[in-house]
Amino acid sequence: MTKITLYGHPDSGHACKVALALSLAGIAHETVFVDIWAAPETRPPAFLAASPLAQVPALVLEDAALTQSGAILLEIASRWRVLGGDSPEGLRRGAELLMWEANRIGMCLPQLIEARRPHGDSFPDGAVDWLTGRYETDRENFDRLLGEGPFFHGAAPGLGDCAIWGYVQWLEKAGVTPSASMATWTQRMQALPGMKSAEAFFPQPQTA
């Protein structure tokens, strides 16, 4: 059996995307908590060897070390033929959704979260308003892409749903409101077998 290790942190929506995909697909793996708020050089050596930029997520298989959440999701879907990866159409749909998420809603939401985080990065005047306006456009396009649903891949969730969940799960932290379709989709995602909170996906090690 291939040993699979996922490095991540509960504050990383990108890591949550991969953890959710592995969970929904029923792929056995272990997770390793990486403190993304600590200096990179303090992170586990095995993680640093797998992730040259010292960023989460990193997924380590016996034959490969993978980084960048979108690339990891595509690998999971195609390698195990899950979450839409069992057909060319499903993979194509997933790739389109991954590209949209990365460039649009998956860009503005983490920045809005960071803008509200105590002692977070400072933003130039007007940046938060711009990001909020971008989110409002993305919210409309979320509804268009979801269509009649119930999931972005149709009757069952796919890799696109996992990607979009990464930061849409934290709309309240970002200080924005969902559309009606977004709210019901979020409820469906939360009800999925295999869904966990970010903290449950990446539990922090207990200290003595």
Side-chain angles (χ1 to χ4, degrees):
M1 180 179 295
T2 301
K3 180 181 178 181
I4 303 171
T5 303
L6 174 62
Y7 293 91
H9 187 282
D11 289 342
S12 169
H14 298 299
C16 289
K17 300 173 190 181
V18 178
L20 176 59
L22 292 170
S23 182
L24 294 183
I27 298 171
H29 64 285
E30 66 174 1
T31 59
V32 176
F33 177 96
V34 176
D35 188 355
I36 62 173
W37 303 115
E41 60 269 19
T42 67
R43 298 170 192 175
F47 163 71
L48 293 174
S51 179
L53 301 182
Q55 296 174 343
V56 297
L59 185 69
V60 178
L61 311 173
E62 288 183 353
D63 61 347
L66 309 173
T67 60
Q68 301 302 316
S69 61
I72 297 172
L73 289 174
L74 286 169
E75 179 72 18
I76 290 170
S78 58
R79 180 182 287 233
W80 282 280
R81 298 180 64 81
V82 295
L83 301 171
D86 56 337
S87 71
E89 295 79 13
L91 277 175
R92 184 162 54 248
R93 172 66 168 169
E96 291 171 350
L97 291 167
L98 262 60
M99 299 307 107
W100 175 77
E101 188 275 341
N103 186 53
R104 296 296 311 191
I105 203 166
M107 188 284 287
C108 60
L109 286 176
Q111 298 301 321
L112 286 168
I113 292 169
E114 179 64 16
R116 293 166 61 88
R117 184 173 65 87
H119 311 298
D121 292 342
S122 60
F123 287 74
D125 291 344
V128 171
D129 290 341
W130 181 83
L131 289 165
T132 301
R134 187 177 174 111
Y135 164 74
E136 291 169 354
T137 298
D138 295 342
R139 179 175 57 191
E140 294 177 3
N141 288 331
F142 176 105
D143 292 356
R144 293 189 182 96
L145 289 168
L146 181 63
E148 297 300 318
F151 299 101
F152 285 93
H153 284 254
L159 68 155
D161 293 273
C162 295
I164 294 167
W165 172 257
Y167 284 100
V168 170
Q169 66 176 313
W170 292 321
L171 294 180
E172 186 174 350
K173 286 171 63 175
V176 295
T177 56
S179 66
S181 293
M182 191 180 288
T184 56
W185 174 82
T186 299
Q187 292 169 356
R188 292 188 200 105
M189 292 293 289
Q190 290 171 333
L192 289 171
M195 175 61 79
K196 299 179 183 179
S197 68
E199 290 74 20
F201 275 132
F202 297 103
Q204 185 168 359
Q206 298 296 316
T207 57

